[in-house]
Amino acid sequence: MRISLPLLVCIVAPLPAMAQEQAVDPDLADTAADEAEAAGDDAGGEEIVITGQRPRGSVTGDVPPEQTFSPADVRAFGVSTIAELLAELSPQTSSGRGRGDEQPVVLLEGRRISGPREIRDIPTEAISRVEILPEEVALKYGYSANQRVVNIVLRRRFRAITTEVEGGGPTAGGSANGEVDVNYLSITRAGRLNIDLEVSAESALSEAERDLLPNPSGLPYDLTGNVVAVDGGGEIDPALSALAGQVTTVAPVRGATPTLTDFPGGANQPGTTDIGRYRTLRPRTLGAEGNAVLSRTIFGDVAATATLGFTMNDTQALVGLPNIDVTLPADSPFSPFANDARVLRYADALGALTRETRSRSVNGGFSANGEKGDWRWTLTGNYEYSATDTDTERRLTLDDYSAGVAAGSINPFATLPALSLAAPDTARSVSNVGQLEAVANGDIFKLPAGDVGVTGKVGLGTQDLDSRSNRSGLITATDITRRRVNGQFNVDLPIASRRAGVLDAIGDLTLNANAEVNELSDFGTLTTYGYGANWSPFRQLRLITSVTHEEGAPSPQQIGNPVLTTPNVRVFDYVRGETVDVTSIEGGNPGLSADSRRVLKLGANLRPFDTIDLNMRADYTDSRIDGLISGFPAATAEIQSAFPDRFVRDASGRLVQIDTRPVNFARSERRQLRWGFFLSLPVKGTLERRVEAAREAGQDPRAVLRDAFGGGGGGRARGPRAGGGPRGGGRRGGGGARAGGGRVQLGLFHTVRLKETILIRDGLPELDLLGGSATGNRGGQPRHEVRLISGLTKDGLGIRANAEWQAPTRVDGANPAEQLRFGSLTTINLRAFANLGQIPAIVRDNRWLRGARVSLRLDNLLDQRITVTDGNGVTPLGLQPALLDPVGRSFRLEFRKLF
């Protein structure tokens, strides 16, 4: 894929003109709904709600939001799209009830969507309200109870063209990245249209850019060459040892026609070549993606949405130099040795070996939401086609060269002849995934404490994965087909209600039960069931308890991904305590079985004040997974003992190959407590105070706005808004130069892991990830993790500082000297931004800057990395900080403009 700058300019350049063509008379009246919403925003961002009436776009059921964000709260995050907002909210939306890294369920105005693409590109200026709700709400929409819920409510009217240009890279240099994004969004009474196009690129980052120490372990390859014994570790030649005065197992090549006397000077001191510039820590990437969403009302009262998108990504990684390993017979005219020997060399004439990956995907989806009486129904469907091709160069074609050395016709010490690379290993996988789901929820009868609500879901799904790999002529093909039929049922039983006056002494109490059956064509019947309670003893406090039992199958990718072989992968061998370059085998494992999960959750959510936006939350989670499906862990001594067939060593005992395909563990157990709070307070801006003072004095506040923004600003008498710009068919995104009101936000979340163990199989010792065992290359599991969120916005300026800290861990060895200590890690991310349209001194004489924002982001401000040391205080070469985190501190500069 090639994307040229002229093409990009042709795409972006017409957009400002398009925006101007859409401008209409600013004096046209808005609809009453948009006026009310604007007034609420001007008053601080809160939506006007009639007492006793649920806010527009609320979710189904009686569970209130744990956290609600107004437009001013959203602006305070300083992010551009809903996707970026969800990333910022991850501390509040994470759930400890799944298998790990579950993303929240996202609803749009209380309704299901066809997928993330439907809403991810929407500018945050179009948001009216964001709500975060507990996992139990997911059940009411046909999802499983291991994901929290985010409900997003949009403005009734909005129109904007957004352009965004970003660029940055590590402050240590070596790489750069950039991105250009163009977005169009229109929200009217008739529906919603959103079109987005994004192009991104990142240059490669090589090992040479990070001043890494060379790795002497493994076979001693060098551009000039080294000589070793045939077995790779024994004595080369007794005569050479006698000349050197020591047993010689390796010696560098000296000259094109060396004699025996040329080798003693370098005995056991092999020549080395730094090949850092031939190995990448991060690959070169180029990507493009587009997305289009159309939402309309059909059949009079059915809200329908269609989504179509594509993604293209190309990457190229460098995986080292090709090497030459030939046997030099003792009777060769070029051999000075009495025994056969091996000559090890790098070949650099053809450059680095590469791995190139090309992925393409096309997806489409639809959703339809409607109501029938007291019942809500949703029909969603989506389909995705994706194809990935991988070419990996691994070796030279050496048959003729090796034969010539063996026959004595080629001198292995001389300048290398012209050589060619063997055909690369290839792999291709094609995936087709489709699903159709229908969900209905409503009330079936009434109890004294309230209505009994039920949710039912039926779904059909298909997944096809065709993969084919060619490794050195060995062709492997896999065809995985999975058909799925599932049904889910959820019921909520109200037991006590303050509003209904039923057992009101204990507050509000609702019991819940749910069950799901999945029939998979390749794994049979898998079931899930759960139950729980939702209790609010008083209005400010809500307690939730739930138990879930779930059976889960491995994905088709975990079973059938093509087998890939990657040379020169650097790993730390915990058994021998050395860093080696190995051949890594990855792909699918057709022998995987389903797992079974049991999760207990106890949760509390407290909002102690009515007038202060403070939310406090605590969750305790206890989970056990039998038959855990997992990626292959790090090469610790415990893992190598449990999976000896996955590790290959040469005659000298050096690790040369690892099979990293996924596995089943017998059991995993985890207990953790997570607690925290989030506080958001309004901050009055300078201009906002002037507007209020004018109102109190009986003066026209619009005069204050005209004076601040230079007249013609379209300020509104009702609220502290200036530079509002044309409205016409909807609120224009290019206006909205608010009067400088802001927010101060502070959040802190602390995770305490009480237990984290894995049993590989019965009869083996249990791995304690909190007490010296590990499954990853970054040490064990930290017992404590803390995340801090903070931000301040005022007068158009904003700054956000987010920090994360994790406790140190260790990985035990056979003795204290072999123990590895992984230090604690503190990461601080800083982002400063200026909404130029909210700064009168800037926008008064530069009207084109209305709707513009400039942002500067510094990630890992202190340039911190995990430091690993052994019992002697030495850092293993394979665990150098720059290998664990190649980027370190990085910056990113962004300019964004709404038209």
Side-chain angles (χ1 to χ4, degrees), residues 98-282:
R99 291 179 169 83
D101 298 326
E102 281 80 10
Q103 298 300 309
V105 170
V106 180
L107 306 177
L108 185 62
E109 300 179 349
R111 295 174 172 177
R112 283 174 58 118
I113 59 177
S114 60
R117 281 183 173 269
E118 185 176 324
I119 51 90
R120 69 176 190 182
D121 301 317
I122 294 176
T124 52
E125 289 84 353
I127 294 176
S128 177
R129 188 175 80 251
V130 177
E131 300 171 332
I132 299 177
L133 301 106
E135 294 88 340
E136 284 62 35
V137 176
L139 292 168
K140 303 178 188 298
Y141 287 88
Y143 296 100
S144 59
N146 59 12
Q147 299 166 276
R148 296 175 69 79
V149 176
V150 177
N151 181 40
I152 297 173
V153 181
L154 301 179
R155 299 188 186 279
R156 290 185 173 94
R157 289 176 173 269
F158 185 87
R159 186 174 75 243
I161 291 177
T162 308
T163 59
E164 188 171 355
V165 180
E166 304 178 45
T171 58
S175 178
N177 57 71
E179 180 181 309
V180 176
D181 183 86
V182 182
N183 183 282
Y184 171 77
L185 173 63
S186 174
I187 303 175
T188 65
R189 186 174 290 182
R192 182 176 83 253
L193 175 62
N194 187 203
I195 301 174
D196 188 86
L197 177 63
E198 177 183 307
V199 179
S200 61
E202 181 178 0
S203 62
L205 177 62
S206 72
E207 291 185 1
E209 299 288 349
R210 288 298 174 262
D211 196 25
L212 294 168
L213 295 175
N215 175 34
S217 299
L219 290 175
Y221 290 96
D222 179 55
L223 283 174
T224 304
N226 288 303
V227 177
V228 298
V230 172
D231 64 3
E235 185 178 31
I236 299 173
D237 185 343
L240 173 59
S241 298
L243 289 173
Q246 57 180 313
V247 175
T248 303
T249 59
V250 60
V253 174
R254 307 294 192 191
T257 56
T259 64
L260 191 64
T261 58
D262 292 320
F263 289 94
N268 297 324
Q269 300 177 28
T272 60
T273 298
D274 183 2
I275 62 170
R277 64 191 180 103
Y278 301 105
R279 296 168 60 104
T280 51
L281 297 168
R282 291 173 64 91

Side-chain angles (χ1 to χ4, degrees), residues 502-519:
V502 176
L503 300 177
D504 53 339
I506 65 172
D508 294 327
L509 176 62
T510 301
L511 302 182
N512 168 275
N514 59 87
E516 181 177 7
V517 177
N518 278 282
E519 183 67 30

Side-chain angles (χ1 to χ4, degrees), residues 1-3 286-290 310-314 359-361:
M1 179 186 67
R2 293 292 183 267
I3 301 173
L286 180 64
E289 55 183 309
F310 73 89
T311 302
M312 307 169 66
N313 283 297
D314 291 349
S359 62
R360 306 287 185 267
S361 68

Side-chain angles (χ1 to χ4, degrees), residues 354-605:
T354 64
R355 163 170 284 185
E356 296 185 348
T357 302
R358 300 168 298 282
S359 62
R360 306 287 185 267
S361 68
V362 178
N363 60 79
F366 75 90
S367 64
N369 290 269
E371 296 181 3
K372 188 69 173 179
D374 293 333
W375 287 77
R376 279 185 173 186
W377 61 267
T378 302
L379 181 66
T380 60
N382 56 68
Y383 167 79
E384 180 172 19
Y385 166 87
S386 61
T388 301
D389 293 279
T390 304
D391 297 335
T392 306
E393 297 172 342
R394 290 205 298 130
R395 63 198 180 285
L396 295 165
T397 300
L398 294 174
D399 293 345
D400 293 342
Y401 182 80
S402 298
V405 172
S409 59
I410 293 179
N411 178 6
F413 305 123
T415 301
L416 291 172
L419 299 171
S420 61
L421 288 170
D425 289 356
T426 61
R428 177 175 175 81
S429 65
V430 177
S431 171
N432 290 273
V433 180
Q435 68 175 16
L436 182 67
E437 293 183 337
V439 179
N441 55 60
D443 302 328
I444 54 175
F445 59 86
K446 189 176 183 63
L447 291 177
D451 295 324
V452 176
V454 298
T455 301
K457 182 185 79 171
V458 293
L460 302 173
T462 177
Q463 293 177 277
D464 294 314
L465 177 65
D466 296 326
S467 65
R468 177 185 175 91
S469 64
N470 184 338
R471 295 186 298 149
S472 303
L474 176 63
I475 297 175
T476 304
T478 305
D479 182 4
I480 303 293
T481 298
R482 175 177 294 175
R483 302 290 182 259
R484 175 178 59 87
V485 179
N486 77 312
Q488 181 177 331
F489 182 79
N490 176 74
V491 59
D492 294 307
L493 298 172
I495 303 301
S497 171
R498 286 188 293 267
R499 184 174 57 183
V502 176
L503 300 177
D504 53 339
I506 65 172
D508 294 327
L509 176 62
T510 301
L511 302 182
N512 168 275
N514 59 87
E516 181 177 7
V517 177
N518 278 282
E519 183 67 30
L520 304 182
S521 58
D522 55 341
F523 272 87
T525 302
L526 302 177
T527 61
T528 299
Y529 66 92
Y531 45 89
N534 181 355
W535 179 34
S536 176
F538 50 91
R539 185 170 52 84
Q540 293 85 357
L541 177 65
R542 185 165 296 272
L543 305 174
I544 292 178
T545 180
S546 64
V547 177
T548 302
H549 298 263
E550 177 191 5
E551 296 175 330
S555 69
Q557 287 73 21
Q558 289 175 314
I559 298 173
N561 266 345
V563 177
L564 302 177
T565 302
T566 307
N568 304 321
V569 176
R570 186 159 295 168
V571 301
F572 182 74
D573 180 6
Y574 286 82
V575 171
R576 290 179 40 141
E578 64 181 6
T579 299
V580 292
D581 293 341
V582 303
T583 298
S584 173
I585 299 175
E586 57 188 289
N589 179 2
L592 293 176
S593 59
D595 63 20
S596 177
R597 183 171 61 97
R598 190 272 307 159
V599 179
L600 165 68
K601 177 197 171 181
L602 303 175
N605 192 77

Side-chain angles (χ1 to χ4, degrees), residues 838-859:
Q838 297 181 21
I839 305 175
I842 293 178
V843 77
R844 181 187 295 113
D845 300 321
N846 299 277
R847 308 296 293 171
W848 66 275
L849 288 176
R850 289 193 308 164
R853 186 181 70 210
V854 178
S855 303
L856 174 63
R857 192 175 78 203
L858 288 172
D859 290 337

